[in-house]
């Protein structure tokens, strides 16, 4: 019964807040069709690590960083696609300084072994450099059917959250992050629809609901950013990371393949073709351009305060940091950390 109420609440949040974001997108796309380019941000000499760069927001963010001179390491499960993105980067025109470069590291976030290998590979690639920006962006959204990973977890929970926790913890533990670096978890307004039930999310094999689990992954992204920041300030890591900022960012409802497929899948399968044709015309107006969402993250990377949730504001303006959800508390953040450690994600 309780989970049934959680699912109803989750659906209400997704539909009503989603419609509000769509309304914002329509106004923004009509009144401000061009992207906020943030051309004055010079990232020459900086290094970024981004997961999920082959398309959508990750690809747009890679482009925006490289146009400002940043060296970007693309972490992905499709190296061929990532190398194609790197080739496209070489054709860009820099807006500040010289054009940045790209490297590719393989990792399938649905398999912990490849994430462990990714941390080792990053250590070898970086050499004397440090990671200035770690952006945990990769994700999947609300599969209709339960999928179990090789490691025994629900697929989107491991991809969206667990593997990113291991990656962030790994690079911090190996002292690979710059003293003033930023660790960013790409969250969503959907975190408002989370149940916040930690044990159920780790072992949701009996009562799976794709939308609710997606909301929970984004809720935990917000939680882990806050808890990771707290642990850093408490000296959890041997390296002195006093100036690091851990952030969670809501970029809005972005025009990505993941968002488009989610919209189509809300309708009966027999109507998918018709809905796809109708939405194909509407996407450019109702969904936010990836370039604009990437610019919000660029702004977040320049932000100085730590342990904050940053969201797009009304009609595309940048919202000052604020607490995202009334469910956020020190207690649940600490509980999540303990469960992650017990399950081996913080070794």
């Amino acid at each position: 019964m309780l989970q049934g109420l959680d699912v109803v609440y989750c659906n209400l949040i997704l539909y009503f807040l989603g419609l509000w974001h769509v309304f914002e997108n329509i106004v923004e796309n009509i009144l401000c069709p061009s992207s906020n380019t943030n051309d004055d941000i010079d990232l020459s000499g900086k290094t970024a690590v981004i997961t999920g760069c082959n398309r959508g927001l990750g690809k747009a963010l890679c482009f925006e960083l490289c146009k400002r001179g940043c060296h970007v390491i693309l972490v992905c499960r499709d190296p061929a696609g990532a190398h194609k993105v790197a080739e496209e980067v070489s054709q860009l025109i820099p807006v500040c300084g010289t054009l940045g470069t790209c490297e590719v590291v393989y990792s399938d976030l649905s398999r912990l072994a490849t994430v462990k290998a990714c941390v080792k590979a990053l250590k070898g690639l970086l050499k004397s450099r440090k990671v200035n920006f770690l952006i945990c962006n990769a994700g999947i959204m609300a599969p209709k059917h339960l999928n179990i990973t090789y490691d025994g977890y629900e697929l989107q929970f491991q991809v969206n959250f667990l593997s990113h926790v291991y990656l962030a913890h790994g690079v911090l533990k190996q002292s690979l992050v710059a003293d003033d670096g930023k660790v960013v978890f790409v969250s969503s307004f959907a975190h408002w629809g989370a149940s916040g039930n930690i044990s159920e999310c780790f072992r949701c094999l009996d009562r799976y609901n794709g939308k609710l689990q997606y909301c929970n992954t984004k809720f935990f992204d917000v939680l882990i950013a806050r808890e990771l920041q707290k642990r850093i300030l408490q000296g959890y890591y041997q390296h002195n990371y006093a100036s690091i900022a851990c952030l969670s960012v809501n970029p809005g409802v972005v025009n990505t393949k993941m968002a488009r497929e989610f919209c189509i899948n809300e309708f009966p399968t027999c109507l998918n073709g018709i809905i796809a044709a109708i939405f194909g015309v509407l996407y450019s107006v109702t969904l936010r351009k990836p370039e604009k969402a990437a610019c919000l993250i660029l702004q977040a990377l320049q932000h100085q305060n730590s342990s904050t949730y940053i969201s797009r504001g009304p009609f595309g303006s940048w919202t000052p940091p604020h607490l995202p959800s009334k469910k956020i508390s020190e207690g649940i953040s600490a509980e999540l950390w303990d469960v992650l450690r017990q399950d081996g994600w913080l070794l």
Side-chain angles (χ1 to χ4, degrees):
M1 178 64 180
L2 181 59
Q3 196 206 33
L5 293 176
D6 286 336
V7 171
V8 171
Y9 175 72
C10 161
N11 284 323
L12 289 174
I13 289 294
L14 286 176
Y15 294 140
F16 283 103
L17 289 186
L19 286 173
W20 170 250
H21 274 297
V22 165
F23 171 68
E24 282 191 316
N25 290 340
I26 292 172
V27 175
E28 180 184 77
N29 289 329
I30 293 174
L31 299 182
C32 309
S34 60
S35 300
N36 177 15
T37 56
N38 297 297
D39 290 347
D40 58 331
I41 298 177
D42 187 353
L43 301 177
S44 300
K46 304 289 187 181
T47 299
V49 175
I50 313 176
T51 64
C53 302
N54 288 7
R55 60 188 182 216
L57 177 56
K59 180 178 179 180
L61 186 56
C62 173
F63 283 5
E64 296 301 323
L65 288 168
C66 287
K67 286 194 293 185
R68 289 158 180 80
C70 188
H71 176 72
V72 179
I73 299 176
L74 313 176
V75 175
C76 65
R77 64 174 181 169
D78 177 14
H83 282 295
K84 184 177 179 180
V85 172
E87 291 176 7
E88 293 180 45
V89 164
S90 65
Q91 307 300 316
L92 298 174
I93 299 174
V95 298
C96 193
T98 58
L99 186 65
T101 54
C102 294
E103 290 181 277
V104 176
V105 173
Y106 169 77
S107 182
D108 180 351
L109 298 183
S110 69
R111 295 179 70 99
L112 176 58
T114 71
V115 184
K116 291 180 178 179
C118 174
V119 174
K120 293 181 180 179
L122 288 173
K123 187 175 183 179
L125 276 179
L126 290 166
K127 297 177 182 176
S128 61
R129 291 176 296 170
K130 296 290 185 181
V131 177
N132 300 99
F133 314 120
L134 172 61
I135 304 170
C136 300
N137 164 73
I140 53 180
M141 186 177 185
K144 286 187 175 182
H145 305 291
L146 175 65
N147 297 283
I148 305 300
T149 68
Y150 177 83
D151 302 299
Y153 296 89
E154 189 273 320
L155 178 63
Q156 65 180 331
F157 189 57
Q158 181 163 344
V159 171
N160 295 7
F161 176 65
L162 293 174
S163 290
H164 282 142
V165 171
Y166 190 94
L167 178 61
H169 173 70
V171 296
L172 287 166
K173 189 176 180 180
Q174 294 289 332
S175 301
L176 302 181
V177 183
D179 292 341
D180 60 348
K182 301 289 191 300
V183 178
V184 177
F185 295 87
V186 177
S187 184
S188 164
F189 75 87
H191 78 271
W192 278 91
S195 67
N197 188 321
I198 294 174
S199 60
E200 189 171 273
C201 293
F202 271 77
R203 295 287 182 265
C204 71
L205 309 186
D206 296 328
R207 296 182 296 172
Y208 172 75
N209 180 276
K211 295 176 193 172
L212 182 59
Q213 187 74 339
Y214 176 77
C215 292
N216 280 322
T217 66
K218 295 307 175 182
F219 176 67
F220 291 146
D221 281 339
V222 177
L223 281 183
I224 199 61
R226 290 167 54 83
E227 187 65 20
L228 196 58
Q229 183 68 51
K230 185 182 80 173
R231 301 282 174 162
I232 288 171
L233 295 177
Q234 291 176 347
Y236 184 87
Y237 297 97
Q238 291 184 350
H239 189 84
N240 180 18
Y241 283 127
S243 299
I244 274 189
C246 298
L247 309 168
S248 54
V249 180
N250 165 26
V253 182
V254 186
N255 190 358
T256 64
K257 181 180 179 182
M258 183 174 74
R260 294 192 297 268
E261 288 180 347
F262 174 78
C263 294
I264 293 173
N265 288 337
E266 286 302 284
F267 296 88
T269 304
C270 61
L271 299 177
N272 281 2
I274 298 173
I275 298 301
I278 295 173
F279 277 17
V281 179
L282 300 177
Y283 283 141
S284 61
V285 178
T286 58
L287 301 183
R288 197 175 199 204
K289 294 179 180 178
E291 296 79 10
K292 290 188 177 182
C295 286
L296 173 68
I297 296 178
L298 277 180
Q299 290 175 315
L301 296 179
Q302 306 305 306
H303 186 57
Q304 298 304 312
N305 294 335
S306 61
S307 192
T308 55
Y309 171 77
I310 297 174
S311 173
R312 65 164 301 180
F315 312 120
S317 62
W318 187 57
T319 301
H322 59 280
L323 291 180
S325 169
K326 63 183 181 181
K327 297 177 183 177
I328 301 293
S329 70
E330 293 296 329
I332 193 172
S333 298
E335 180 187 351
L336 177 62
W337 184 273
D338 290 341
V339 174
L340 286 166
R341 186 171 55 185
Q342 292 166 11
D343 264 34
W345 293 94
L346 293 171
L347 294 179

